[in-house]
Amino acid sequence: MSTSQGDPVANTGTPGVTLELEGAAVRLGSRTLWSGVDLTLEAGRFMAVLGPNGVGKTTLIKAVLGLLPFSAGTVRVLGKPPGQENHRIGYLPQRRRFDPGLRIRGIDLVRLGEEGDRWGTPLPGARLFSARSRVREAHVRDVIDLVGASAYASRPIGQVSGGEQQRLLIAQALVRDPALLLLDEPLDGLDLPSQTSVTSLISTICREQRISVLMVAHDVNPLLPYLDSVAYVGEGHIVAGTPEEVITSDTLSRLYGTCIEVVHTADGRLAVLGQPQERASCHGSPYEPVAAIGGS
Amino acid sequence: MTNLLQTLTQMLAYPFMVNALEAGTIVAIVSGLIGWFMVLRRQSFAGHALAVVGFPGAAGATLLGVGAAYGYFTFCLAAALVIALLPRAGGSGRTDESAVTGTVQALALACGFLFVSLYHGFLNGIDALLFGSFVGISQGQVTALLVVGACVLVTLALIGRPLLFSSVDPEVAAAGNVPVRALSFVFLLLLGAAVAEASQITGTLLVFALLVAPAAIAQTVTSRPSVGLLLSPIIALIVTWGGLTLAYFWPYPIGFFVTSLAFGGYVAARVAAGLVRRRSKSAW
């Protein structure tokens, strides 16, 4: 690929890689949120974006969508600069709850995800006359089936529960057959059973449809069984890699400048414990893991 | 039955009644469709502001000796432009916006009243401007309503789907390359035109009888966008034709009849929706 004499591959990034950041930085006003970020997300892989509030997790998603500019570095989203391939990206923004009085059905919202950017007006009975709209309609129903939302897709969106809304919104993001899903805190505000079922749904879609997923989340522990890689966002920097590489007391404590303990549970799982109160004990040996993590 | 037909034919023998029905039909269709989006987008307050600004426009135009219709269109569209261009701080500047709009509304009403009192020969015209009238709609006015209405409907037909998307889900729409801001700008202009049209039948203060009520009834009855977009103008048509017919037979203002029919329809729709919901709940 270094032989770039009009080689188209040089312009489309590495094959099989959905998202590629090299030395990327984002500046909001005069403040650099983070810089020198290297991150790679391969096709069909599931990556979680983690970190405290206000460090720029949502900003990362928006920059990948091209809604905010990167101030430095090389970024390829589906082989192109950000913002050019958005029709192949499914996006689920942060914390959307629909007004209970909003008279739009879940299925309409899902359908808008597929056709909402086309000019024209939805006509009643279009399915009776157009084979193309019948095909589209079947696709919309398939996707709603896939996320298990068929039972309540015909109810007004404001009148279904938070977890049900989230499934419909995932269907909305999926309906355009994306190669990349950008999910901004899809588990926020959901009860524990819904969190687990939505996470396993996303993981299934990721593997079976070979869709890359970049998902912002608060708590890594319930996600760990499903993740291929993680990106921890800290003050000024992002560390990305496999959970084994990144989730070490060493790396996390250095990123956040506080003592973070990573423990290895008896059944071979990782658990991350933040303990800001015990900062002093960490200071004595800043790079020594509090608990070693073994292989998986 | 033959009696009713006879009276209806009789009613249609008057050119002023034919003009009123034609104007009412155009206005009802435009209001029903634009109103559906206005209710969905929660922009009723903006719609009301536009209507109030139309009042001094119409009064001023009458004072200058040009038709009130010109005043409605000019002022409503200009006000729509101003609201569309108001800077919005990250989408959360609504409280500020409503304060500005409220202040301007008061001034607009006062100016309208001033223009009316400056025009001495304009005796009961203020009632017509505020509460609607159907006598004295000229053929020229009908043509103007038709041309503006056609422009509004063609534009709406072109932008309907992306407008729906950006109304219910602006963030995802923007990420999917839908021009959300431009659409909201265009929609305000369409709303300005629709308000100016409706004002000419229902008057400034009663535009909501045609802009809000039919759309609200349609959205209570159905949550399917395509069905709602069909139902809303049909309800507006029924309300308008009914109001015109009643106003022909009884010596009371048309605004009252149109508004009462719209209100009755809304109450009936809410009660029916409540009953259906209760029945489906008790079935569990």
Side-chain angles (χ1 to χ4, degrees):
Chain A
M1 243 180 299
S2 51
T3 58
S4 63
Q5 286 178 328
D7 185 359
V9 181
N11 269 332
T12 54
T14 319
V17 171
T18 315
L19 184 61
E20 238 179 332
L21 275 70
E22 281 174 42
V26 161
R27 195 178 294 150
L28 285 185
S30 58
R31 174 178 165 228
T32 299
L33 275 182
W34 28 258
S35 57
V37 174
D38 299 321
L39 182 156
T40 307
L41 178 60
E42 281 154 13
R45 295 303 169 97
F46 190 172
M47 177 186 267
V49 179
L50 302 148
N53 285 328
V55 289
K57 301 193 295 288
T58 297
T59 305
L60 173 65
I61 299 272
K62 292 207 163 153
V64 168
L65 279 167
L67 299 175
L68 291 169
F70 282 98
S71 58
T74 317
V75 178
R76 298 258 164 233
V77 183
L78 296 165
K80 296 264 178 66
Q84 291 192 3
E85 290 289 305
N86 281 11
H87 60 278
R88 292 171 63 202
I89 299 178
Y91 171 47
L92 195 149
Q94 191 175 15
R95 198 176 265 285
R96 262 184 314 163
R97 287 288 175 273
F98 291 93
D99 181 347
L102 182 65
R103 298 287 291 169
I104 288 286
R105 298 174 304 165
I107 187 173
D108 298 315
L109 210 67
V110 174
R111 193 182 298 117
L112 280 172
E114 196 255 340
E115 59 171 29
D117 56 350
R118 269 205 302 277
W119 301 109
T121 290
L123 297 171
R127 259 164 287 154
L128 300 177
F129 305 107
S130 149
R132 259 176 69 200
S133 78
R134 273 197 296 275
V135 171
R136 279 199 215 110
E137 192 59 26
H139 178 58
V140 167
R141 294 199 181 265
D142 284 348
V143 173
I144 290 175
D145 252 357
L146 178 73
V147 302
S150 301
Y152 43 83
S154 300
R155 285 169 55 194
I157 185 78
Q159 286 171 21
V160 301
S161 75
E164 290 168 344
Q165 284 189 16
Q166 214 58 282
R167 280 175 181 268
L168 285 164
L169 292 174
I170 290 169
Q172 186 200 43
L174 278 175
V175 75
R176 52 171 76 191
D177 294 326
L180 170 64
L181 273 183
L182 299 175
L183 311 174
D184 199 347
E185 303 221 13
L187 307 180
D188 197 27
L190 299 189
D191 55 26
L192 217 56
S194 309
Q195 287 194 18
T196 314
S197 69
V198 168
T199 310
S200 85
L201 167 69
I202 293 167
S203 156
T204 310
I205 289 164
C206 171
R207 298 198 199 303
E208 289 180 1
Q209 321 258 322
R210 280 194 48 87
I211 297 173
S212 308
V213 177
L214 189 69
M215 170 169 147
V216 175
H218 254 306
D219 186 4
V220 69
N221 295 320
L223 302 178
L224 274 172
Y226 305 100
L227 292 177
D228 297 305
S229 50
V230 293
Y232 268 91
V233 186
E235 289 296 334
H237 194 58
I238 299 180
V239 182
T242 64
E244 287 75 20
E245 286 164 12
V246 178
I247 305 179
T248 63
S249 300
D250 178 13
T251 309
L252 295 185
S253 300
R254 201 166 0 165
L255 182 64
Y256 293 113
T258 177
C259 185
I260 289 170
E261 196 175 349
V262 174
V263 293
H264 204 183
T265 59
D267 57 349
R269 290 187 183 175
L270 293 166
V272 181
L273 312 170
Q275 292 192 328
Q277 299 92 337
E278 291 173 31
R279 188 179 281 240
S281 73
C282 220
H283 257 291
S285 51
Y287 300 126
E288 184 184 312
V290 175
I293 53 162
S296 57
Chain B
M1 196 64 207
T2 43
N3 239 348
L4 184 68
L5 264 178
Q6 238 167 15
T7 31
L8 282 182
T9 343
Q10 209 177 40
M11 182 173 95
L12 293 177
Y14 292 101
F16 85 89
M17 246 351 254
V18 174
N19 283 354
L21 280 167
E22 284 174 358
T25 304
I26 298 162
V27 166
I29 292 172
V30 170
S31 308
L33 287 167
I34 295 292
W36 190 86
F37 279 101
M38 182 185 80
V39 170
L40 187 76
R41 293 169 64 86
R42 308 273 192 272
Q43 283 190 316
S44 299
F45 188 66
H48 188 246
L50 294 175
V52 170
V53 172
F55 171 56
T62 315
L63 182 62
L64 292 175
V66 293
Y70 294 102
Y72 280 125
F73 283 123
T74 315
F75 271 58
C76 289
L77 285 173
L81 256 178
V82 170
I83 295 182
L85 293 175
L86 274 183
R88 205 157 294 165
S92 59
R94 271 166 207 276
T95 39
D96 211 38
E97 191 184 303
S98 69
V100 171
T101 318
T103 316
V104 174
Q105 268 188 16
L107 180 72
L109 273 177
C111 288
F113 191 52
L114 174 74
F115 295 153
V116 170
S117 55
L118 285 175
Y119 185 80
H120 298 295
F122 190 38
L123 282 174
N124 52 9
I126 187 164
D127 292 346
L129 292 182
L130 287 178
F131 300 106
S133 149
F134 67 108
V135 290
I137 293 174
S138 66
Q139 194 58 52
Q141 201 177 343
V142 173
T143 312
L145 287 173
L146 183 64
V147 170
V148 174
C151 292
V152 169
L153 293 187
V154 167
T155 312
L156 190 65
L158 286 174
I159 66 169
R161 204 181 288 119
L163 179 66
L164 179 64
F165 195 12
S166 64
S167 301
V168 296
D169 208 349
E171 269 185 277
V172 177
N177 297 335
V178 173
V180 175
R181 287 204 62 132
L183 283 171
S184 114
F185 183 86
V186 171
F187 179 72
L188 269 168
L189 289 183
L190 295 183
L191 183 59
V195 164
E197 296 224 316
S199 301
Q200 296 176 41
I201 299 289
T202 63
T204 286
L205 295 182
L206 301 180
V207 285
F208 276 12
L210 287 181
L211 269 168
V212 172
I217 296 169
Q219 292 193 10
T220 306
V221 172
T222 178
S223 49
R224 295 163 187 258
S226 55
V227 179
L229 278 167
L230 187 69
L231 204 55
S232 181
I234 291 178
I235 296 168
L237 274 176
I238 294 173
V239 164
T240 310
W241 287 340
L244 280 168
T245 312
L246 291 173
Y248 172 76
F249 287 108
W250 280 287
Y252 303 109
I254 175 166
F256 170 74
F257 290 118
V258 169
T259 312
S260 306
L261 285 176
F263 179 72
Y266 183 64
V267 170
R270 288 307 293 255
V271 168
L275 287 178
V276 168
R277 207 170 304 141
R278 182 178 296 178
R279 182 172 297 176
S280 67
K281 257 184 198 154
S282 63
W284 282 97

